[in-house]
Amino acid sequence: MNIANALTISRIAVVPVIAVLLLFDNLCASLAAAILFIAATVTDYLDGYFARRMNMVSDLGKLLDPLADKLLIATVLIMLIPLGRVPAWIVAVIIARELAVTGVRGMASDRRVVISASWLGKYKTAFQCTAVIPLLVHYPILGLQFQEAGEFFLWIALFFTLWSGWDYIAAYIRENIAS
């Protein structure tokens, strides 16, 4: 166990806490969920920083880090559906992309082919997180319409979700044709 893995595990541990907070559809619970989500996204940056900077890259970290990211985003988006904050079809597309890319990367790995994360995947993650924060807050505060801002960024996230998903699949196809 190292600090990078501990941060990743903390991100996984916060997922059920955020889910429980979203059972209470009020401003205080929404703000608390948003703050925890922000803290979790910061740990995502920090665990990668520590893993690379302090040479703490581990097999456990390689497994848990993407799992933690997917658990966090998928759980929050699913919990936002019954609250009417996100359309179910968008959540389904986002989760389907994550499953498809995970499957493609697994098949590539079986062939000893590494499909590295691309800038599209990083944009996808950034816009998903940027969308989720105001969707969690939801309520207007000081005239700021958080729900509308979240919806705006969710459409951009959807665009990058589809583009990056296609990019991973295309990379896998290119690798298979080349070999």
Side-chain angles (χ1 to χ4, degrees), residues 63-77:
L63 172 71
L64 290 183
D65 184 62
L67 177 64
D69 296 343
K70 288 167 183 40
L71 281 172
L72 182 63
I73 290 289
T75 301
V76 169
L77 288 174

Side-chain angles (χ1 to χ4, degrees), residues 65-114:
D65 184 62
L67 177 64
D69 296 343
K70 288 167 183 40
L71 281 172
L72 182 63
I73 290 289
T75 301
V76 169
L77 288 174
I78 289 167
M79 294 299 295
L80 291 175
I81 294 169
L83 297 174
R85 299 183 192 180
V86 296
W89 74 268
I90 291 178
V91 175
V93 167
I94 289 170
I95 292 172
R97 181 262 185 216
E98 296 302 331
L99 293 172
V101 167
T102 300
V104 165
R105 285 181 129 174
M107 290 187 309
S109 175
D110 285 347
R111 299 184 65 158
R112 304 215 190 292
V113 173
V114 175

Side-chain angles (χ1 to χ4, degrees), residues 11-157:
R11 194 161 67 255
I12 293 170
V14 80
V15 171
V17 177
I18 294 172
V20 168
L21 285 168
L22 291 173
L23 294 174
F24 304 96
D25 191 10
N26 62 58
L27 178 60
C28 288
S30 293
L31 286 173
I35 290 166
L36 285 174
F37 184 85
I38 291 166
T41 59
V42 170
T43 68
D44 187 25
Y45 168 77
L46 289 175
D47 70 28
Y49 173 81
F50 285 126
R52 286 184 297 278
R53 186 77 163 195
M54 301 177 144
N55 199 24
M56 294 180 182
V57 175
S58 68
D59 289 340
L60 180 63
K62 289 178 187 177
L63 172 71
L64 290 183
D65 184 62
L67 177 64
D69 296 343
K70 288 167 183 40
L71 281 172
L72 182 63
I73 290 289
T75 301
V76 169
L77 288 174
I78 289 167
M79 294 299 295
L80 291 175
I81 294 169
L83 297 174
R85 299 183 192 180
V86 296
W89 74 268
I90 291 178
V91 175
V93 167
I94 289 170
I95 292 172
R97 181 262 185 216
E98 296 302 331
L99 293 172
V101 167
T102 300
V104 165
R105 285 181 129 174
M107 290 187 309
S109 175
D110 285 347
R111 299 184 65 158
R112 304 215 190 292
V113 173
V114 175
I115 301 176
S116 298
S118 71
W119 64 271
L120 288 171
K122 294 186 185 315
Y123 276 35
K124 179 256 327 169
T125 300
F127 278 108
Q128 284 179 355
C129 291
T130 302
V132 164
I133 293 165
L135 290 169
L136 283 168
V137 174
H138 175 67
Y139 296 93
I141 300 172
L142 302 173
L144 298 173
Q145 300 299 321
F146 284 90
Q147 180 65 32
E148 290 176 14
E151 290 170 2
F152 172 78
F153 287 112
L154 187 62
W155 283 103
I156 298 170

